[in-house]
Amino acid sequence: MTDNPSETGGVANIGVIGLAVMGSNLARNLASREGNTVAVYNRTQARTQELIAEHGDLGFVAAESIDEFVSSLSTPRTAIIMVQAGKGTDAVIEQLAERFEAGDIIVDGGNANFHDTIRRERDLRERGLNFVGAGISGGEEGALRGPSIMPGGSAEAWATLEPILRSIAAVAEGEPCVTHIGTDGAGHFVKMVHNGIEYADMQLIAEAYDLLRRVGGHRVEDLVELFRSWNEGDLQSYLIEITAEVLAQRDADTGRPLVDVILDEAGSKGTGVWTVQNALGLGVPVSGIGEAVFARAVSSKPTQRAAVQRVLRRRPDPVETPEGFEDDVRAALYASKVVAYAQGFDLIVAGAREYGWDVDLGAIARIWRAGCIIRAQFLNRIVDAYQNDPELESLLVDPYFADAVAHGEAAWRRIVALAAASGVPAPGFSSALSYFDSLASERLPAALIQGQRDFFGAHTYRRTDKEGTFHTRWAQDRREVETEPSTH
Ligand code: NBP
């Protein structure tokens, strides 16, 4: 192996394969930073030609074949794959792996399932190659101007990638939004949780908007200013900012607010579902993300919605809104958002434990402060929380967040009650409050559930007042016996 490009014939320190919107933007971002020479290749040559025609001044090394691409890279050869997740990614990995040598680095910057990333990393490691699954957030604009980057993979690969990725990442308060998350699939896992939190955050904002309109009786026009004012305070975030922009938009055809002519069926690309599936497997209640995924699913069932609407004879009468209703909604949104993030970070902790990653939660919050969809002021508070106590049991017990939630708690309860009384769905707000109340309750009805389980399945229970495992002989004399823990 050599670092001398003349011996390998390569001049590019980094290559990008896959030049659709994400890949070409990332390649442009890379090429615009000092010190980078970027090789580019795409299966269909027209895309490469288009990039060169429009941005050839950035000094790309354009390849017409995969062999040409590989030989244009200096060692250790480093290539970022930006192709469709799944089979396309596997195909490109194999093409590179057949040509790369020990120590070279293949980065998958697509939205891969982290289980695939773990498998690919293991396979390529056995072939002497470095494989890095890197979550890249921020969409096409982020790829071009600076995304938040969540790379996994080996420390060896990180040493080469760090200066390159730092050069293109978004910057928050002087710090590039990239950190080595952990080995193998850690980066794609954390990107998955990021997307899950994004679902929850969007759902909560949508519920706030709905309550303001349908319970508070506000016109869309008034809400634009309200969301803009919220964006000046502790809710300041990209998602609140774009909410105001979407609400301000008028439809050119009808003159109505665009939000009123958009079909109310929310789609998704599946990372929210992955987050919930994995959380279920790991036993982590991410109810905020779950409710957000389910709310999109409900919205996308027009036939079922219409059928229920037909049989419902009466909806609740309008409810009088109390003084300060808008502030109450804002407080409920903030408190529910704290819960959603607390649950997301719990999932990262559980994933790290399960898959053996040494993650730095504060560093993750830090790299989400710019470049990505959930970028927000709020994340500075999470950085502080983990800086003060890296072993924090839950974000909800951090003094700042505990205080903030306590401050908004009464308003949160008023809003959930008002939503229920008004017949306006608020699954995110109400499930967040239930989660909070569950953690805050000294006793939970789980005791009764254990009794039921013991009754029908002899699943046994433990007692509050002595050690051991017990079973009541429900079908016989109803006497309690000490027993072995149930394994079924
Ligand atoms: P797409 O996901 O639309 O994929 C198109 C690219 O994949 C083209 O370059 C295409 O080559 C290439 N490709 C396919 Br499809 N099958 C291939 C194969 N078998 N061999 C070689 N190349 C193949 O592109 P994108 O929207 O730019 O996204 C790229 C990645 O980034 C995806 O994994 C996506 O999930 C992820 N991502 C996207 C966003 C976003 O906002 N769009 C955000 C974050 C992450 P061709 O030109 O020859 O057909």
PDB file of all heavy atoms in Angstrom, residues 18-22 42-44 47 82-85 88 91-92 110-111 136 139, ligand 1:
ATOM      1  N   GLY A  18     -22.930   7.314  -7.823  1.00  0.00           N
ATOM      2  CA  GLY A  18     -24.371   7.572  -7.726  1.00  0.00           C
ATOM      3  C   GLY A  18     -24.575   9.066  -7.773  1.00  0.00           C
ATOM      4  O   GLY A  18     -24.323   9.762  -6.782  1.00  0.00           O
ATOM      5  N   LEU A  19     -24.969   9.567  -8.935  1.00  0.00           N
ATOM      6  CA  LEU A  19     -25.031  11.022  -9.111  1.00  0.00           C
ATOM      7  C   LEU A  19     -26.456  11.513  -9.346  1.00  0.00           C
ATOM      8  O   LEU A  19     -26.691  12.440 -10.109  1.00  0.00           O
ATOM      9  CB  LEU A  19     -24.099  11.443 -10.259  1.00  0.00           C
ATOM     10  CG  LEU A  19     -22.625  11.060 -10.037  1.00  0.00           C
ATOM     11  CD1 LEU A  19     -21.795  11.412 -11.270  1.00  0.00           C
ATOM     12  CD2 LEU A  19     -22.052  11.760  -8.800  1.00  0.00           C
ATOM     13  N   ALA A  20     -27.418  10.880  -8.669  1.00  0.00           N
ATOM     14  CA  ALA A  20     -28.778  11.457  -8.650  1.00  0.00           C
ATOM     15  C   ALA A  20     -28.708  12.684  -7.736  1.00  0.00           C
ATOM     16  O   ALA A  20     -27.619  13.159  -7.413  1.00  0.00           O
ATOM     17  CB  ALA A  20     -29.782  10.416  -8.162  1.00  0.00           C
ATOM     18  N   VAL A  21     -29.818  13.166  -7.264  1.00  0.00           N
ATOM     19  CA  VAL A  21     -29.827  14.452  -6.565  1.00  0.00           C
ATOM     20  C   VAL A  21     -28.884  14.492  -5.352  1.00  0.00           C
ATOM     21  O   VAL A  21     -28.097  15.434  -5.183  1.00  0.00           O
ATOM     22  CB  VAL A  21     -31.279  14.864  -6.207  1.00  0.00           C
ATOM     23  CG1 VAL A  21     -31.951  13.842  -5.332  1.00  0.00           C
ATOM     24  CG2 VAL A  21     -31.319  16.213  -5.531  1.00  0.00           C
ATOM     25  N   MET A  22     -28.916  13.437  -4.521  1.00  0.00           N
ATOM     26  CA  MET A  22     -28.086  13.450  -3.308  1.00  0.00           C
ATOM     27  C   MET A  22     -26.608  13.348  -3.644  1.00  0.00           C
ATOM     28  O   MET A  22     -25.773  14.097  -3.126  1.00  0.00           O
ATOM     29  CB  MET A  22     -28.488  12.292  -2.383  1.00  0.00           C
ATOM     30  CG  MET A  22     -29.798  12.470  -1.677  1.00  0.00           C
ATOM     31  SD  MET A  22     -29.800  13.837  -0.504  1.00  0.00           S
ATOM     32  CE  MET A  22     -28.816  13.170   0.833  1.00  0.00           C
ATOM     33  N   ASN A  42     -21.322   7.400 -12.343  1.00  0.00           N
ATOM     34  CA  ASN A  42     -22.721   6.979 -12.254  1.00  0.00           C
ATOM     35  C   ASN A  42     -22.965   5.900 -13.305  1.00  0.00           C
ATOM     36  O   ASN A  42     -22.406   5.954 -14.403  1.00  0.00           O
ATOM     37  CB  ASN A  42     -23.644   8.178 -12.517  1.00  0.00           C
ATOM     38  CG  ASN A  42     -25.082   7.863 -12.155  1.00  0.00           C
ATOM     39  OD1 ASN A  42     -25.415   7.802 -10.973  1.00  0.00           O
ATOM     40  ND2 ASN A  42     -25.928   7.646 -13.141  1.00  0.00           N
ATOM     41  N   ARG A  43     -23.807   4.915 -12.955  1.00  0.00           N
ATOM     42  CA  ARG A  43     -24.086   3.805 -13.879  1.00  0.00           C
ATOM     43  C   ARG A  43     -24.534   4.340 -15.242  1.00  0.00           C
ATOM     44  O   ARG A  43     -24.023   3.949 -16.287  1.00  0.00           O
ATOM     45  CB  ARG A  43     -25.159   2.902 -13.257  1.00  0.00           C
ATOM     46  CG  ARG A  43     -25.581   1.746 -14.127  1.00  0.00           C
ATOM     47  CD  ARG A  43     -26.657   0.943 -13.431  1.00  0.00           C
ATOM     48  NE  ARG A  43     -27.872   1.735 -13.188  1.00  0.00           N
ATOM     49  CZ  ARG A  43     -28.997   1.244 -12.667  1.00  0.00           C
ATOM     50  NH1 ARG A  43     -29.044  -0.028 -12.292  1.00  0.00           N
ATOM     51  NH2 ARG A  43     -30.045   2.019 -12.484  1.00  0.00           N
ATOM     52  N   THR A  44     -25.492   5.245 -15.229  1.00  0.00           N
ATOM     53  CA  THR A  44     -25.954   5.855 -16.481  1.00  0.00           C
ATOM     54  C   THR A  44     -25.122   7.109 -16.721  1.00  0.00           C
ATOM     55  O   THR A  44     -25.165   8.052 -15.921  1.00  0.00           O
ATOM     56  CB  THR A  44     -27.447   6.229 -16.365  1.00  0.00           C
ATOM     57  OG1 THR A  44     -28.154   5.064 -15.942  1.00  0.00           O
ATOM     58  CG2 THR A  44     -27.997   6.730 -17.687  1.00  0.00           C
ATOM     59  N   ARG A  47     -25.951  11.139 -16.417  1.00  0.00           N
ATOM     60  CA  ARG A  47     -25.944  11.905 -15.154  1.00  0.00           C
ATOM     61  C   ARG A  47     -24.565  12.508 -14.905  1.00  0.00           C
ATOM     62  O   ARG A  47     -24.443  13.635 -14.430  1.00  0.00           O
ATOM     63  CB  ARG A  47     -26.304  10.996 -13.982  1.00  0.00           C
ATOM     64  CG  ARG A  47     -27.788  10.739 -13.825  1.00  0.00           C
ATOM     65  CD  ARG A  47     -28.018  10.241 -12.396  1.00  0.00           C
ATOM     66  NE  ARG A  47     -29.172   9.366 -12.284  1.00  0.00           N
ATOM     67  CZ  ARG A  47     -30.400   9.798 -12.033  1.00  0.00           C
ATOM     68  NH1 ARG A  47     -30.648  11.075 -11.888  1.00  0.00           N
ATOM     69  NH2 ARG A  47     -31.386   8.922 -11.915  1.00  0.00           N
ATOM     70  N   MET A  82     -23.836   6.756  -3.142  1.00  0.00           N
ATOM     71  CA  MET A  82     -25.104   7.480  -2.945  1.00  0.00           C
ATOM     72  C   MET A  82     -26.125   6.950  -3.945  1.00  0.00           C
ATOM     73  O   MET A  82     -26.586   7.685  -4.828  1.00  0.00           O
ATOM     74  CB  MET A  82     -24.901   8.985  -3.141  1.00  0.00           C
ATOM     75  CG  MET A  82     -24.063   9.658  -2.077  1.00  0.00           C
ATOM     76  SD  MET A  82     -24.666   9.461  -0.392  1.00  0.00           S
ATOM     77  CE  MET A  82     -26.117  10.448  -0.418  1.00  0.00           C
ATOM     78  N   VAL A  83     -26.403   5.659  -3.855  1.00  0.00           N
ATOM     79  CA  VAL A  83     -27.405   5.076  -4.760  1.00  0.00           C
ATOM     80  C   VAL A  83     -28.592   4.585  -3.941  1.00  0.00           C
ATOM     81  O   VAL A  83     -28.570   4.603  -2.709  1.00  0.00           O
ATOM     82  CB  VAL A  83     -26.818   3.924  -5.619  1.00  0.00           C
ATOM     83  CG1 VAL A  83     -25.579   4.387  -6.365  1.00  0.00           C
ATOM     84  CG2 VAL A  83     -26.522   2.695  -4.790  1.00  0.00           C
ATOM     85  N   GLN A  84     -29.591   4.142  -4.658  1.00  0.00           N
ATOM     86  CA  GLN A  84     -30.811   3.675  -3.998  1.00  0.00           C
ATOM     87  C   GLN A  84     -30.469   2.602  -2.947  1.00  0.00           C
ATOM     88  O   GLN A  84     -29.677   1.698  -3.237  1.00  0.00           O
ATOM     89  CB  GLN A  84     -31.723   3.080  -5.051  1.00  0.00           C
ATOM     90  CG  GLN A  84     -33.178   3.100  -4.683  1.00  0.00           C
ATOM     91  CD  GLN A  84     -34.019   2.694  -5.875  1.00  0.00           C
ATOM     92  OE1 GLN A  84     -33.806   1.637  -6.458  1.00  0.00           O
ATOM     93  NE2 GLN A  84     -34.974   3.526  -6.235  1.00  0.00           N
ATOM     94  N   ALA A  85     -31.075   2.757  -1.752  1.00  0.00           N
ATOM     95  CA  ALA A  85     -30.810   1.784  -0.680  1.00  0.00           C
ATOM     96  C   ALA A  85     -31.316   0.414  -1.110  1.00  0.00           C
ATOM     97  O   ALA A  85     -32.241   0.301  -1.913  1.00  0.00           O
ATOM     98  CB  ALA A  85     -31.508   2.237   0.601  1.00  0.00           C
ATOM     99  N   GLY A  88     -29.491  -1.916  -5.079  1.00  0.00           N
ATOM    100  CA  GLY A  88     -28.566  -1.038  -5.802  1.00  0.00           C
ATOM    101  C   GLY A  88     -27.280  -0.856  -5.001  1.00  0.00           C
ATOM    102  O   GLY A  88     -26.173  -0.931  -5.539  1.00  0.00           O
ATOM    103  N   ALA A  91     -25.184  -3.997  -5.048  1.00  0.00           N
ATOM    104  CA  ALA A  91     -24.529  -4.182  -6.349  1.00  0.00           C
ATOM    105  C   ALA A  91     -23.275  -3.309  -6.446  1.00  0.00           C
ATOM    106  O   ALA A  91     -22.203  -3.778  -6.855  1.00  0.00           O
ATOM    107  CB  ALA A  91     -25.502  -3.843  -7.475  1.00  0.00           C
ATOM    108  N   VAL A  92     -23.395  -2.060  -6.021  1.00  0.00           N
ATOM    109  CA  VAL A  92     -22.249  -1.138  -6.128  1.00  0.00           C
ATOM    110  C   VAL A  92     -21.144  -1.538  -5.146  1.00  0.00           C
ATOM    111  O   VAL A  92     -19.956  -1.485  -5.476  1.00  0.00           O
ATOM    112  CB  VAL A  92     -22.703   0.324  -5.914  1.00  0.00           C
ATOM    113  CG1 VAL A  92     -21.514   1.259  -5.893  1.00  0.00           C
ATOM    114  CG2 VAL A  92     -23.676   0.739  -7.007  1.00  0.00           C
ATOM    115  N   GLY A 110     -26.229   6.280   1.829  1.00  0.00           N
ATOM    116  CA  GLY A 110     -27.674   6.175   1.598  1.00  0.00           C
ATOM    117  C   GLY A 110     -28.430   5.871   2.878  1.00  0.00           C
ATOM    118  O   GLY A 110     -27.834   5.740   3.956  1.00  0.00           O
ATOM    119  N   ASN A 111     -29.736   5.744   2.733  1.00  0.00           N
ATOM    120  CA  ASN A 111     -30.572   5.476   3.900  1.00  0.00           C
ATOM    121  C   ASN A 111     -30.705   3.976   4.131  1.00  0.00           C
ATOM    122  O   ASN A 111     -31.787   3.419   4.014  1.00  0.00           O
ATOM    123  CB  ASN A 111     -31.968   6.069   3.675  1.00  0.00           C
ATOM    124  CG  ASN A 111     -32.083   7.434   4.302  1.00  0.00           C
ATOM    125  OD1 ASN A 111     -31.281   7.805   5.152  1.00  0.00           O
ATOM    126  ND2 ASN A 111     -33.086   8.179   3.885  1.00  0.00           N
ATOM    127  N   ILE A 136     -26.765  10.351   6.494  1.00  0.00           N
ATOM    128  CA  ILE A 136     -26.596  11.733   6.031  1.00  0.00           C
ATOM    129  C   ILE A 136     -27.975  12.381   6.041  1.00  0.00           C
ATOM    130  O   ILE A 136     -28.882  11.926   5.352  1.00  0.00           O
ATOM    131  CB  ILE A 136     -25.978  11.781   4.615  1.00  0.00           C
ATOM    132  CG1 ILE A 136     -24.593  11.120   4.639  1.00  0.00           C
ATOM    133  CG2 ILE A 136     -25.893  13.221   4.108  1.00  0.00           C
ATOM    134  CD1 ILE A 136     -23.822  11.206   3.337  1.00  0.00           C
ATOM    135  N   GLY A 139     -31.480  16.214   3.498  1.00  0.00           N
ATOM    136  CA  GLY A 139     -32.036  16.218   2.148  1.00  0.00           C
ATOM    137  C   GLY A 139     -31.054  16.777   1.139  1.00  0.00           C
ATOM    138  O   GLY A 139     -29.848  16.864   1.408  1.00  0.00           O
TER     139      GLY A 139
HETATM  140  P1  NBP B   1     -32.104   7.501  -5.592  1.00  0.00           P
HETATM  141  O1  NBP B   1     -32.378   6.843  -4.292  1.00  0.00           O
HETATM  142  O2  NBP B   1     -33.225   7.952  -6.432  1.00  0.00           O
HETATM  143  O3  NBP B   1     -31.190   6.503  -6.460  1.00  0.00           O
HETATM  144  C1  NBP B   1     -30.783   6.826  -7.771  1.00  0.00           C
HETATM  145  C2  NBP B   1     -29.330   6.504  -7.953  1.00  0.00           C
HETATM  146  O4  NBP B   1     -29.082   5.104  -7.705  1.00  0.00           O
HETATM  147  C3  NBP B   1     -28.883   6.742  -9.400  1.00  0.00           C
HETATM  148  O5  NBP B   1     -27.572   7.241  -9.380  1.00  0.00           O
HETATM  149  C4  NBP B   1     -28.956   5.346  -9.994  1.00  0.00           C
HETATM  150  O6  NBP B   1     -28.141   5.174 -11.130  1.00  0.00           O
HETATM  151  C5  NBP B   1     -28.408   4.552  -8.840  1.00  0.00           C
HETATM  152  N1  NBP B   1     -28.615   3.107  -8.956  1.00  0.00           N
HETATM  153  C6  NBP B   1     -29.730   2.365  -8.805  1.00  0.00           C
HETATM  154 BR1  NBP B   1     -31.394   3.059  -8.580  1.00  0.00          BR
HETATM  155  N2  NBP B   1     -29.523   1.052  -8.945  1.00  0.00           N
HETATM  156  C7  NBP B   1     -28.211   0.938  -9.203  1.00  0.00           C
HETATM  157  C8  NBP B   1     -27.387  -0.174  -9.471  1.00  0.00           C
HETATM  158  N3  NBP B   1     -27.857  -1.409  -9.444  1.00  0.00           N
HETATM  159  N4  NBP B   1     -26.093   0.061  -9.729  1.00  0.00           N
HETATM  160  C9  NBP B   1     -25.605   1.311  -9.756  1.00  0.00           C
HETATM  161  N5  NBP B   1     -26.337   2.410  -9.499  1.00  0.00           N
HETATM  162  C10 NBP B   1     -27.626   2.228  -9.227  1.00  0.00           C
HETATM  163  O7  NBP B   1     -31.084   8.739  -5.384  1.00  0.00           O
HETATM  164  P2  NBP B   1     -31.119   9.898  -4.309  1.00  0.00           P
HETATM  165  O8  NBP B   1     -32.470  10.433  -4.060  1.00  0.00           O
HETATM  166  O9  NBP B   1     -30.040  10.822  -4.747  1.00  0.00           O
HETATM  167  O10 NBP B   1     -30.664   9.177  -2.953  1.00  0.00           O
HETATM  168  C11 NBP B   1     -29.435   8.486  -2.839  1.00  0.00           C
HETATM  169  C12 NBP B   1     -29.371   7.828  -1.459  1.00  0.00           C
HETATM  170  O11 NBP B   1     -29.425   8.841  -0.467  1.00  0.00           O
HETATM  171  C13 NBP B   1     -30.538   6.880  -1.169  1.00  0.00           C
HETATM  172  O12 NBP B   1     -30.084   5.800  -0.415  1.00  0.00           O
HETATM  173  C14 NBP B   1     -31.477   7.721  -0.361  1.00  0.00           C
HETATM  174  O13 NBP B   1     -32.303   6.943   0.487  1.00  0.00           O
HETATM  175  C15 NBP B   1     -30.492   8.556   0.436  1.00  0.00           C
HETATM  176  N6  NBP B   1     -31.037   9.820   0.923  1.00  0.00           N
HETATM  177  C16 NBP B   1     -31.841  10.582   0.169  1.00  0.00           C
HETATM  178  C17 NBP B   1     -32.337  11.794   0.655  1.00  0.00           C
HETATM  179  C18 NBP B   1     -33.190  12.676  -0.197  1.00  0.00           C
HETATM  180  O14 NBP B   1     -33.645  13.708   0.319  1.00  0.00           O
HETATM  181  N7  NBP B   1     -33.419  12.343  -1.452  1.00  0.00           N
HETATM  182  C19 NBP B   1     -31.975  12.205   1.941  1.00  0.00           C
HETATM  183  C20 NBP B   1     -31.126  11.427   2.689  1.00  0.00           C
HETATM  184  C21 NBP B   1     -30.655  10.236   2.165  1.00  0.00           C
HETATM  185  P3  NBP B   1     -28.744   5.445 -12.598  1.00  0.00           P
HETATM  186  O15 NBP B   1     -28.654   6.919 -12.806  1.00  0.00           O
HETATM  187  O16 NBP B   1     -27.863   4.665 -13.474  1.00  0.00           O
HETATM  188  O17 NBP B   1     -30.169   4.940 -12.584  1.00  0.00           O
END
